[in-house]
Amino acid sequence: MNNTAHLICIRGVVQGVGFRPFVYRLALRHGLRGWVRNDPSGVTVHLEGESLGTFLHDLRAELPPAAVLEDVQVREIPAEGFPDFQIIHSEAGGAIVTRISPDLAPCPDCLREMRDPNDRRYRYPYINCTNCGPRLSIILGLPYDRPQTTMKGWPLCEDCQREYDDPLNRRYHAQPVACPTCGPSFTLSTCGGGGACDQLNFDSSPENLRGFPALQQAAQLLQAGQILAVKGVGGYHLMCDALREDAVHALRERKFRKDKPFALLARDLETARSVIHLTAQDEEILTGTARSILLAPAKIELPEVAPLFGQLGVMLPSSPLQELLFDAGAPPLLVATSGNRSSEPMVMDDAEALESLAALADAFLIGERPIARRVDDSVVMSGGGVVRRARGLAPAVTAKIPSDTPILAVGADLKNAVTLVVGGQAFTGAYIGDLDHLACREAHQEAVQDLLGMYGLTSNDCVVAHDLHPQYVSTGLALELPALKHVAVQHHHAHLASVLAEHDLWHEPALGLILDGTGYGPDGTIWGGEFLLGSLSSGFERVGHFYPAPLVGGDAAARLPAQAAVGYLAAAGLPVPDSFPLQARRAAGLARSAIQTTSAGRLFDAVAALLGFSGPQTYEGQAAMWLESLARQASGTEALPFIWDGQTLDWRPALAALATADIQQAALAFHVGLADALAQAARELCEQNKITTIGLSGGVWQNSLLLNLVGQRLGQEFRVLLPRHVPANDGGLSLGQAAVAASRQFG
């Protein structure tokens, strides 16, 4: 008998995804003995037998759909003579560094059972297994076991317990496992068009216990143009028939959401194909386990859904309840927007929903299973760039960060998200929102404490990283936290650092083209169009920037494109058009005393205003998206003149040459000219510094037209890095803050 055994320590997404029963089946197949268990770091396997090599090969080749291997370490240990292979209880104690699985869309097996009249889970809205179902949204603590989830209040029936205990069953230790006999259900409540809600009760026949009559009535309400608040995986959605303009208009009026596009929920892939143009990669995103909202070019015009915008955001069902709602007869294309009042976080608590959404919804589908934490829908651009990182994506690891000390990075004020570094892994949490709203500030503080608590930490154990801006709300919140050390990180340095950290580049120098709205510069001005050079280990140097302009009215310029434009016109020595609003024309006198900015985002706003975008922006980026949409309606290669002098990218000639006779052609010429100048600047700076790596970050790079134009001009000569796991916008800043804080410990 061989006297040696092997201990295998596995890190990654390996808890709550059917990994232990997978190992069990694999060990039986290879005739191996020993055990497998969860532990604070992941999963540990003790193996005795002769087939280690083939076991490890199959371990990597046949992973469960939701599992991710980050690290596998094998060492020899003395054999203990186990007679068989077992799954044993989780090990407690030690530092918790295991990954938490994101919430997963229903798998094909569960959907097939849910639609089988002979299956005991027929039409059951909480069906799940180890390959699918809620994870992050129900976890109360680690390790991930049923008593530490929001399912702890529903004891398993005999049938579910038998499945749960059987290592050969795909529901083995599936913590949310349930059925109509023992699990949660839901109810339908009506509110009479925005009044007090009265719950509708159904009789206790087996069919009604499954709730399908409630779903049929909900579907009828949607067909009739009513607005439903529907409890999802990570919070409530407000839904209505997307093809009924009266219903969508009513939702806009009730939610005070003037122009911002709504997301769409499509019944199936065929329905999605009928409204947006999809590539093969896009279809993989739509049908993947994350079920993100995909932003893609529109095939049809839905002016109430997406006013003045050439794209639509579409997702497929992310929960069994949504699938059943369509089965019950709901219209095949629904608006599905976050259940909240404008600018507030998504509602996840039932009592809060009935109170705060009563004026918005005509009826409620209320599920009994509590939500442990708010998780909004993720948003991904066609091609894969992340716009909002949330359900299905968070809190997966976004980068390896070389730090033995925990780091908490609190992000910035817009599109806030938090990152925690534990055991060298960066866990980036779900999208929170804009911290200028009290409810979002409270949600941010809850998210910080939740993420720390999940890994058994307090802020006292961490280096706390934050933005350099002394007046940011996030800076103030960070400084209120007791910490080992507070580290201030310049906004645009964090943007570049997030890209380099994602790609695991710590010592290789790179050029960063960082284009966004605004960020506090070390020189006291407002940056936003920056060329940065350096590495994470050595730090970054500003080697170029956009020509500065007065930021007339400060933060107000971000809301009023015409007011932003008067500052840029003043810098270019150009008159303010008489067509501009009186408020903007009066503000022109403030240009001499205004703080200077190199903002690329405000330049886009200024050009949009000059080409006819009127009024204030009702959501961030509206004017720039309008400008991109205009440009996409034109064709040609004509470019407005920009000048790069080796240090400054001068847009003033472009502004002087801007023609308004054909605004679509002018919009395209602006994009082409800017792309030419950016590529020229990048090429020259790279050649001067003998580098070939370029990192792109900042919210402006969510303009896919500009991104593609610059990419075409740089060609194959350069290694162009884009954010992959976090947004290019401020939603990715916390990862960059964490990377810079780590680099200062060894750089």
Side-chain angles (χ1 to χ4, degrees):
M1 178 178 175
N2 194 325
N3 291 323
T4 62
H6 292 89
L7 193 70
I8 307 174
C9 298
I10 304 169
R11 289 171 62 175
V13 182
V14 289
Q15 292 190 18
V17 291
F19 194 79
R20 286 181 301 164
F22 161 67
V23 170
Y24 176 86
R25 294 190 296 271
L26 210 56
L28 293 185
R29 182 202 304 173
H30 291 285
L32 297 167
R33 304 172 302 279
W35 49 259
V36 60
R37 73 180 178 206
N38 285 342
D39 60 42
S41 297
V43 166
T44 302
V45 185
H46 177 109
L47 283 182
E48 298 181 5
E50 303 297 331
S51 304
L52 177 67
T54 53
F55 173 89
L56 289 174
H57 174 273
D58 292 349
L59 181 80
R60 292 183 170 91
E62 302 176 18
L63 278 176
V68 177
L69 294 188
E70 174 64 28
D71 185 46
V72 179
Q73 297 183 2
V74 182
R75 62 184 175 92
E76 283 192 3
I77 58 173
E80 298 182 32
F82 288 102
D84 55 16
F85 193 88
Q86 298 181 4
I87 299 174
I88 64 176
H89 290 299
S90 304
E91 182 185 56
I96 300 172
V97 295
T98 191
R99 297 193 190 186
I100 302 169
S101 168
D103 299 302
L104 306 172
C107 70
D109 288 333
C110 283
L111 290 178
R112 186 164 48 250
E113 292 172 351
M114 186 185 75
R115 292 184 170 118
D116 180 358
N118 298 315
D119 192 278
R120 68 189 190 90
R121 291 188 175 88
Y122 177 54
R123 290 177 172 171
Y124 184 58
Y126 291 101
I127 191 170
N128 68 87
C129 69
T130 53
N131 296 325
C132 69
R135 298 291 191 273
L136 174 66
S137 61
I138 64 168
I139 293 174
L140 300 173
L142 292 175
Y144 175 57
D145 291 316
R146 192 178 182 97
Q148 300 212 80
T149 74
T150 60
M151 287 296 295
K152 63 183 180 178
W154 284 275
L156 295 174
C157 68
E158 186 176 320
D159 288 333
C160 285
Q161 188 69 54
R162 184 166 51 251
E163 294 173 331
Y164 184 86
D165 292 335
D166 180 3
L168 298 179
N169 191 288
R170 82 172 197 281
R171 291 192 170 91
Y172 176 77
H173 280 214
Q175 306 306 336
V177 68
C179 73
T181 301
C182 64
S185 187
F186 64 94
T187 55
L188 177 70
S189 298
T190 57
C191 298
C197 295
D198 298 315
Q199 184 168 295
L200 299 180
N201 295 310
F202 296 93
D203 64 56
S204 58
S205 66
E207 178 65 17
N208 281 322
L209 277 176
R210 300 176 196 275
F212 204 67
L215 285 167
Q216 289 174 321
Q217 184 168 351
Q220 291 168 6
L221 292 173
L222 288 168
Q223 292 171 355
Q226 301 294 291
I227 297 169
L228 259 64
V230 181
K231 190 174 183 180
V233 173
Y236 275 83
H237 287 98
L238 292 169
M239 296 186 181
C240 67
D241 186 346
L243 300 182
R244 287 194 56 145
E245 290 192 2
D246 58 336
V248 184
H249 181 74
L251 180 55
R252 284 203 178 278
E253 291 290 311
R254 295 184 193 181
K255 202 173 179 183
F256 300 106
R257 182 163 165 159
K258 184 179 179 183
D259 299 309
K260 190 174 183 180
F262 284 130
L264 297 172
L265 176 64
R267 178 177 58 196
D268 49 30
L269 187 57
E270 284 303 315
T271 304
R273 287 172 176 153
S274 71
V275 295
I276 51 176
H277 294 277
L278 294 172
T279 65
Q281 182 184 2
D282 292 339
E283 293 192 0
E284 288 181 7
I285 293 171
L286 268 181
T287 58
T289 58
R291 295 295 164 91
S292 300
I293 297 169
L294 177 75
L295 291 177
K299 279 187 175 179
I300 62 173
E301 289 189 18
L302 295 173
E304 282 291 346
V305 172
L308 303 176
F309 196 47
Q311 292 183 307
L312 291 171
V314 180
M315 60 182 162
L316 297 183
S318 59
S319 71
L321 179 62
Q322 291 178 357
E323 295 273 4
L324 287 170
L325 191 57
F326 285 120
D327 289 354
L333 191 67
L334 299 172
V335 164
T337 188
S338 298
N340 56 6
R341 290 179 293 205
S342 287
S343 304
E344 293 185 358
M346 189 181 198
V347 173
M348 67 174 188
D349 178 75
D350 300 334
E352 182 186 356
L354 289 171
E355 178 182 349
S356 66
L357 303 181
L360 282 69
D362 299 300
F364 287 73
L365 273 177
I366 304 173
E368 287 186 301
R369 184 179 66 206
I371 298 171
R373 62 187 51 77
R374 181 182 295 103
V375 191
D376 215 324
D377 297 312
S378 292
V379 182
V380 178
M381 293 192 301
S382 176
V386 177
V387 176
R388 185 168 74 195
R389 176 184 169 82
R391 179 185 49 73
L393 301 179
V397 170
T398 50
K400 297 177 183 177
I401 303 287
S403 176
D404 295 328
T405 303
I407 300 171
L408 171 68
V410 301
D413 281 14
L414 297 180
K415 297 178 171 59
N416 185 266
V418 177
T419 292
L420 178 65
V421 178
V422 184
Q425 301 181 92
F427 298 91
T428 301
Y431 165 86
I432 295 168
D434 297 347
L435 300 188
D436 53 350
H437 303 286
L438 176 61
C440 287
R441 292 198 291 274
E442 292 172 346
H444 168 87
Q445 291 171 303
E446 291 171 3
V448 165
Q449 297 306 321
D450 179 60
L451 197 55
L452 289 170
M454 190 68 66
Y455 290 94
L457 299 170
T458 69
S459 63
N460 285 297
D461 304 309
C462 303
V463 171
V464 175
H466 59 85
D467 196 272
L468 181 66
H469 199 307
Q471 295 179 349
Y472 266 7
V473 172
S474 54
T475 300
L477 294 174
L479 295 177
E480 290 175 2
L481 294 170
L484 294 175
K485 181 182 179 182
H486 289 89
V487 177
V489 181
Q490 200 277 328
H491 192 91
H492 301 91
H493 289 190
H495 269 307
L496 178 55
S498 70
V499 179
L500 299 183
E502 269 202 56
H503 291 270
D504 202 24
L505 295 180
W506 288 85
H507 304 289
E508 179 182 333
L511 175 69
L513 273 58
I514 313 301
L515 309 182
D516 67 355
T518 55
Y520 185 73
D523 59 359
T525 65
I526 302 301
W527 290 10
E530 309 305 319
F531 300 87
L532 304 178
L533 183 69
S535 69
L536 279 169
S537 58
S538 65
F540 304 123
E541 174 190 4
R542 189 191 200 193
V543 292
H545 54 79
F546 279 32
Y547 190 88
L551 188 63
V552 176
D555 289 343
R559 298 187 297 273
L560 303 167
Q563 190 160 312
V566 299
Y568 283 78
L569 290 168
L574 298 171
V576 177
D578 293 338
S579 60
F580 270 25
L582 179 61
Q583 178 183 357
R585 285 184 278 129
R586 286 176 174 172
L590 303 174
R592 290 185 180 179
S593 59
I595 192 170
Q596 296 290 300
T597 184
T598 55
S599 171
R602 297 295 79 79
L603 175 61
F604 272 80
D605 292 347
V607 173
L610 289 167
L611 292 183
F613 185 91
S614 59
Q617 300 192 78
T618 60
Y619 58 93
E620 188 192 16
Q622 182 182 5
M625 286 188 280
W626 177 85
L627 186 64
E628 180 188 357
S629 179
L630 273 186
R632 289 187 176 279
Q633 299 172 48
S635 61
T637 58
E638 182 182 347
L640 292 180
F642 289 77
I643 298 174
W644 167 250
D645 65 6
Q647 185 175 4
T648 303
L649 194 154
D650 194 345
W651 41 263
R652 292 178 298 173
L655 224 60
L658 193 66
T660 58
D662 183 341
I663 62 172
Q664 295 172 354
Q665 204 63 45
L668 178 59
F670 169 76
H671 281 79
V672 173
L674 180 57
D676 288 344
L678 287 168
Q680 178 192 351
R683 190 177 297 275
E684 289 183 11
L685 289 170
C686 284
E687 289 173 354
Q688 290 167 14
N689 293 280
K690 296 180 172 57
I691 61 175
T692 57
T693 300
I694 300 172
L696 308 181
S697 189
V700 169
W701 289 113
Q702 290 175 179
N703 182 321
S704 57
L705 174 60
L706 180 68
L707 179 64
N708 291 334
L709 288 170
V710 171
Q712 291 166 10
R713 282 151 178 76
L714 291 175
Q716 302 299 315
E717 301 171 50
F718 300 94
R719 181 187 182 190
V720 179
L721 305 180
L722 300 170
R724 300 174 300 180
H725 304 306
V726 298
N729 62 41
D730 284 5
L733 275 179
S734 62
L735 175 61
Q737 292 170 349
V740 171
S743 71
R744 291 182 186 174
Q745 297 180 54
F746 68 83

